[in-house]
Amino acid sequence: MPATNTTRPRRFDLIAFDWDGTLYDSTAIIARCIQAAVRDVGGTVPSDKAAAYVIGLGLMQALTHAAPDVPPEKHHDLGQRYRFHYARHQDDLSLFDGVVPLLADLRQRGHLLAVATGKSRRGLDEALHSVALRGVFDGSRTADQTASKPHPLMLQELMAEFDVAPQRLLLIGDTTHDLQMAVNAGCASVGVGYGAHGPEAFQTLAPLFVAHSVRELHDWLLQEA
């Protein structure tokens, strides 16, 4: 009899997920908060596309990229205004439908799970403070702990922590920053087309698959990961 999905050998030992726009339905609110923060400090408000493009980078890297005309002496205020606006909307955010059963199935198959995110440690810890996610992730790295994407250090540290070779790690993300980080680390990637960057931008980064919904991602991972 052919092996079932639960008994066949794993292709990847460690699966690392980006957070915002991949597991967490936060892209639109983050983009609006970036725009509001730039407006507050008198900068040229970025377009929706430009604000979404920087999601996944470390906070100040993202803000200064989105608002290049804001002078350095206003960068602190820019960060503070972003945090103010984001805090007002934090309770409006949630996991994408289907994420919890997806993660449960991967754990059942024996995969190690991690988060590699441009959020701060405090921001990720607050987001993970949920009964549904308690004990789900084996490890995580945030942009204020290590190098920001697309530098590969986040993934390199996770590989070292769990003694996993690059060919045994899969990175899943919604931006070119995520997929470029995987390339830089020598790891495979999967893109998701429902987050911050359009899937047409992923082609040159050679993801194994591009999922257009959590259901598609779930099905592919159970078959291929």
Side-chain angles (χ1 to χ4, degrees), residues 32-181:
R32 289 201 296 272
C33 291
I34 290 172
Q35 291 168 322
V38 175
R39 184 181 298 111
D40 288 351
V41 300
T44 301
V45 177
S47 66
D48 292 349
K49 183 176 180 180
Y53 175 78
V54 300
I55 294 173
L57 301 175
L59 176 59
M60 292 314 302
Q61 183 183 0
L63 291 173
T64 55
H65 191 285
D69 64 333
V70 174
E73 60 268 22
K74 289 189 175 182
H75 285 176
H76 174 76
D77 291 342
L78 181 62
Q80 291 297 100
R81 295 309 297 169
Y82 172 82
R83 294 182 183 95
F84 167 79
H85 290 292
Y86 186 82
R88 294 177 63 196
H89 293 286
Q90 195 160 4
D91 292 341
D92 302 334
L93 303 174
S94 63
L95 295 166
F96 286 109
D97 288 343
V99 163
V100 171
L102 162 62
L103 297 174
D105 280 352
L106 293 176
R107 286 193 66 84
Q108 187 175 23
R109 291 200 68 245
H111 296 283
L112 294 166
L113 302 180
V115 174
T117 177
K119 298 180 81 65
S120 67
R121 168 50 57 190
R122 179 180 176 182
L124 179 62
D125 286 347
E126 288 175 351
L128 288 173
H129 189 65
S130 161
V131 172
L133 294 176
R134 197 161 295 158
V136 168
F137 294 104
D138 300 284
S140 61
R141 288 296 186 280
T142 61
D144 59 345
Q145 286 182 298
T146 182
S148 182
K149 302 171 185 178
H151 195 286
L153 189 58
M154 280 189 197
L155 298 184
Q156 290 167 341
E157 290 181 353
L158 288 167
M159 286 187 283
E161 179 177 347
F162 296 106
D163 193 23
V164 170
Q167 63 270 23
R168 303 291 294 180
L169 186 151
L170 177 67
L171 184 280
I172 300 172
D174 70 310
T175 71
T176 55
H177 315 306
D178 298 314
L179 273 56
Q180 185 63 59
M181 176 175 65

